[in-house]
Amino acid sequence: METIAVIIKDELGLHAKPAFRLAQLANSFKSELLIENNERKVNGKSVLEILTLSANKGSEIKLVITGEDEKNAADGLKKLLNDSLGEGNGK
Amino acid sequence: MTALVKVMENNKNKTTAQDYKGIAASPGIAIGRVYILDRAKPCILRHAIADSHIENEIQRFNQALEKSKTQLMEIREKAKKDIGSNHLYMLDAHIMMLKDDTLVENTINFIGGQKVNAEWALKESLEGFLKKFENISDEYISGRKKDIEQVVYRILRNMIGHHLESLADLEEPVIIVAHDLTPSDTIQMKREKVLGFATDAGGKTSHTGIMASAFEIPAVVGLKNITEKAKNGDSIIVDGIDGSVILAPDADTFHLFLKKQQRFRYYEKELLKSKDLPAITKDGQRVKLMSNIEYSDEVDLAIRYGAEGVGLYRTEYLYINKDGLPTEEEHFLDYKKVAMRVKNSYSIIRTLDLGGDKFISESKTDKENNPALGLRGIRLCLNRIDIFKTQLRGILRASHYGRLKLMYPMISSVDELRDANQILEDVKGELKSKGIPFDSEIEVGAMIETPSASVITDLLSEEVDFFSIGTNDLIQYTLAMDRINEHVAYLYQPLHPAVLRMLKNIISSAEKTGIPVSICGMMGGDNIHTLILLGMGRIESISMDPHSIPKVKKFIRQIKYEDAVRVAHEILKLKSTDDVKKYLSEEIPRIYPEDMEEYNFSNKSMLSRKEDASELQIAG
């Protein structure tokens, strides 16, 4: 299991565009991705569910990745998050 | 009889909660079940499936997903060329939503778990998401609801197997409840599957109203929010005589309306008995009663109802709901059919009058802010001479097979008439040089339906052989009211002094120049309006929806021309619509005490505001 914690920096929050990128990338891996925000957990491969998280600017979200390619997946997601979403500080 | 009246009165007090008032657009009583036609959303019904069908349903769902994806990819490809890659993001988002992990999984689980059809399962999954989105305060994210809906509706439509839900698919007879109906809805409709219409929008002269009349389907329009009140499968009564709709009627109400329905049908049958007699007043004034038609196949109905010919063939339907424009051959064959079926008289083919509440599907013309005042009628034809010429060739060629006249819509100047006639001459020349036969003496007329045309009829008369007054548009343009806007539908006042004066001017001026004038708007189908028009001067013919012909004929055969002249003369002195209505409601029953009861029954108008009279008639 890999986890990544992120604080959303974007003014618009975790809005449609980054949510799509996130889900798109998550779908390219075999591992499962759960995203948590305020105790809510959603399927990170579903862009619609990510949107329902309603993660605003400043929200702390946690990504939990489990599966055979979890290492790769975590690296990829971290990179995406660092590039476009906010501060990733993967543990 | 009195007992029945009492029941009705009692009932009237009971049923207020489910009784909705609208505008009576097509007479008759329809009793049946609600079918909501929702343009925006496909209408999905739940049905249970057997275990053995689960796999099949899932497969259907997957196929619809694939198909939707292909469609979106095609749109994306096209958009790439048209708008550049910057704006493709939204389409990418849609493509991704389409295959959304949770949406797909929920739907598949639902099909298997609940053993229901894939459409219903998808709809349930969609609603689950929409609910979650409703709780989101962030406007930006909750705004994505629309995107999800669009995507899901696309999948649903692909599963249902056609572009949009259509009236062609009705399996059992129903009463259509809709916001409004478009020509593409009604053109696919199977007449026998539709018992009645109830719509939120529209007035008597909206497309729904005109079509319902043409098909003899009871209709009430302008109900404002009936689509919110009615549910699929509810019992409903549409009273196209008094303009009301009753939802979930109780047993008493149901029986009363069943009686009213029988009385109405009997009354219609009685009227048809005089269909082969001429329309002539008691003191010998003769007028031709003709039919307005929307499709060439309607000619038979018109003749059955005693029409002497076709006073207005609206040709827009040849253009609507098809890919591409009609070919010359399609025009020709269609008009030829009309020409050959109308034997001892003639048919007037009106050239294309697109615009206003008619449209070409898939918006082949640019959107206009104010289509009623935009590029429509003759303006469009003079702008698209290719389209115009194709139709003119079709009409001319058909004129060889029966007597046809042709007529230009939306004329507002002499220049337009001259231009149109010049094009007609060019087309005649082309046909002649090719040796194609046509009626070289074909008569040409102008629709008088704009205020500008109506004040220069003396000038226009030098360019054409006849006039036909299109009262619907003339009223709309004279009173500056949009007749498809339900908020101003009440302003549609044929008895407004401005309208009456305008009509009088047109008729008098035509008389002076010796050019025949006809009526082809909805005013012609109304008894009282007919009386007024006849009283204004010499009218060659009155053209109306076929089903109105027997009623108007019976009426004309009972009145005196001299009364009509006097009434017309008197009302032209009055100052307001209300004054005119008041005068008529006193004067007409005084002159014709007996006939008016039947009139009240068959056609709700200003005179039947004396509601009790019409109920007595029903009960009696």
Side-chain angles (χ1 to χ4, degrees), chain B residues 124-367:
Chain B
E124 286 290 317
S125 322
L126 168 71
E127 277 167 10
F129 268 117
L130 294 183
K131 225 178 232 150
K132 282 186 196 163
F133 273 73
E134 254 157 39
N135 300 326
I136 296 175
S137 52
D138 185 322
E139 252 177 60
Y140 179 80
I141 290 181
S142 62
R144 302 274 71 77
K145 259 170 72 175
K146 272 238 146 47
D147 294 312
I148 307 173
E149 279 177 335
Q150 279 178 20
V151 169
V152 170
Y153 294 159
R154 174 178 297 279
I155 310 171
L156 284 172
R157 285 196 297 265
N158 281 327
M159 266 193 284
I160 300 168
H162 48 78
H163 192 57
L164 277 169
E165 175 195 20
S166 103
L167 291 180
D169 305 321
L170 291 173
E171 280 174 6
E172 52 190 79
V174 289
I175 289 176
I176 308 285
V177 177
H179 180 72
D180 200 4
L181 293 168
T182 64
S184 42
D185 291 325
T186 47
I187 201 161
Q188 305 173 45
M189 184 183 77
K190 285 193 200 108
R191 164 70 188 86
E192 68 276 11
K193 299 287 190 240
V194 180
L195 302 171
F197 291 118
T199 61
D200 293 339
K204 213 171 168 161
T205 53
S206 65
H207 175 77
T208 311
I210 290 171
M211 287 310 303
S213 282
F215 283 122
E216 299 174 80
I217 295 169
V220 177
V221 299
L223 285 153
K224 295 194 174 70
N225 60 351
I226 193 70
T227 46
E228 288 164 28
K229 306 288 179 191
K231 286 196 192 65
N232 267 328
D234 280 357
S235 311
I236 182 175
I237 296 172
V238 172
D239 180 347
I241 299 163
D242 289 329
S244 63
V245 163
I246 295 134
L247 285 176
D250 57 38
D252 286 351
T253 313
F254 177 79
H255 284 294
L256 274 166
F257 277 92
L258 209 58
K259 273 227 158 61
K260 193 171 177 179
Q261 185 181 50
Q262 285 161 356
R263 294 284 308 175
F264 180 76
R265 285 180 182 163
Y266 171 76
Y267 168 78
E268 289 266 283
K269 219 164 45 196
E270 279 298 294
L271 277 179
L272 275 181
K273 286 181 181 164
S274 62
K275 76 174 185 69
D276 294 325
L277 300 171
I280 185 165
T281 62
K282 277 186 170 163
D283 46 357
Q285 186 77 3
R286 170 94 166 81
V287 63
K288 280 198 194 88
L289 295 189
M290 316 272 282
S291 177
N292 296 341
I293 62 170
E294 306 241 346
Y295 312 104
S296 51
D297 288 334
E298 257 184 301
V299 173
D300 295 335
L301 174 88
I303 293 170
R304 201 149 43 78
Y305 274 72
E308 292 174 62
V310 173
L312 171 66
Y313 177 16
R314 305 182 167 101
T315 56
E316 289 71 63
Y317 288 81
L318 290 167
Y319 295 83
I320 288 169
N321 212 36
K322 68 190 299 262
D323 290 326
L325 292 158
T327 63
E328 177 185 327
E329 201 64 14
E330 284 171 314
H331 280 296
F332 164 63
L333 292 173
D334 194 73
Y335 307 145
K336 184 179 160 192
K337 197 154 63 178
V338 176
M340 290 180 74
R341 285 192 205 173
V342 175
K343 297 266 156 52
N344 306 310
S345 183
Y346 56 87
S347 304
I348 301 175
I349 315 278
R350 180 181 70 185
T351 57
L352 176 63
D353 188 19
L354 271 183
D357 61 343
K358 312 275 202 302
F359 60 90
I360 295 183
S361 60
E362 307 296 332
S363 70
K364 285 166 191 154
T365 48
D366 293 331
K367 273 245 177 322

Side-chain angles (χ1 to χ4, degrees), chain A residues 14 19 22-23 26 31-55 61-66 77, chain B residues 100-103 105-106 129 132-133 136:
Chain A
L14 184 51
L22 200 58
S31 298
E32 301 283 319
L33 169 66
L34 281 178
I35 305 179
E36 289 180 40
N37 180 33
N38 286 334
E39 320 230 316
R40 279 202 58 217
K41 284 184 198 165
V42 298
N43 175 0
K45 291 189 174 184
S46 161
V47 64
L48 296 179
E49 291 213 33
I50 300 176
L51 287 175
T52 65
L53 275 181
S54 184
I61 60 166
K62 196 163 102 183
L63 280 68
V64 182
I65 308 134
T66 29
L77 288 166
Chain B
D100 187 88
D101 219 43
T102 307
L103 185 73
E105 209 175 281
N106 284 356
F129 268 117
K132 282 186 196 163
F133 273 73
I136 296 175

